[in-house]
Amino acid sequence: MEGKERREKLLNILNAVNMPIQGSELAKQLGVSRQVIVQDIALLRAVNKNILSTTKGYILYCQEPKKVNRCFYVKHTTEQIEDELGSIVDQGGKILDVIVSHEIYGTIEADLIINTKQDVIDFVTKVNQKQTVPLKELTGGNHYHTVEADDESILDSIETVLRDKGYLIDSK
């Protein structure tokens, strides 16, 4: 199969699912190596296909125009990650990413795509199992989350909850 045809099939697979799919699974379906999938994803991104790499795999992200988003500047302990993320999804938010602004490395951003309480649990479990250090540790706990919601009132509720719990940093 030619590269162009394979990338079209790859897009069709990603279009047909509404959850992330692992690169190894895509490779199996298309009869190529995982590295070929990584290269194809890079080529598709270069032509403005919005494919996100998450801890659960690749997903084609199509933000619905009616959605709104806001960036929250927060700080908390590692033990509070589950509560922070859970508080956001409990209010109806979708956590798109985590961003840190490091004095040496600059801006570092990672896609999260956390929609549900189960996504929160899965993320925290993976962080603990892999014994990894969350990005927020690079900046003393300070980090940003871009959160998507159906309307501004949901984002306002999220902001209130984060403030009440002491996680929100006022950027004034």
Side-chain angles (χ1 to χ4, degrees), residues 74-141:
V74 294
K75 181 177 183 175
H76 53 77
T77 66
T78 298
E79 294 75 27
Q80 293 170 317
I81 290 174
E82 186 170 354
D83 183 60
E84 176 225 16
L85 299 176
S87 297
I88 293 169
V89 297
D90 285 347
Q91 297 299 312
K94 175 180 182 177
I95 303 122
L96 300 180
D97 57 26
V98 59
I99 305 165
V100 295
S101 182
H102 193 271
E103 62 186 52
I104 296 172
Y105 301 117
T107 301
I108 304 169
E109 180 178 348
D111 296 321
L112 295 180
I113 315 301
I114 296 177
N115 297 303
T116 66
K117 200 70 158 193
Q118 187 60 52
D119 290 345
V120 172
I121 292 167
D122 292 347
F123 176 77
V124 171
T125 299
K126 189 173 259 187
V127 167
N128 291 333
Q129 285 177 344
K130 299 291 182 182
Q131 297 178 341
T132 188
V133 177
L135 278 180
K136 69 176 195 62
E137 295 301 321
L138 294 175
T139 55

Side-chain angles (χ1 to χ4, degrees), residues 123-169:
F123 176 77
V124 171
T125 299
K126 189 173 259 187
V127 167
N128 291 333
Q129 285 177 344
K130 299 291 182 182
Q131 297 178 341
T132 188
V133 177
L135 278 180
K136 69 176 195 62
E137 295 301 321
L138 294 175
T139 55
N142 297 354
H143 60 289
Y144 299 87
H145 286 298
T146 308
V147 177
E148 182 181 82
D150 288 337
D151 59 57
E152 290 289 337
S153 67
I154 293 172
L155 294 174
D156 291 341
S157 295
I158 292 168
E159 186 171 330
T160 298
V161 168
L162 293 175
R163 181 173 284 110
D164 290 348
K165 290 186 175 205
Y167 299 150
L168 193 67
I169 299 172

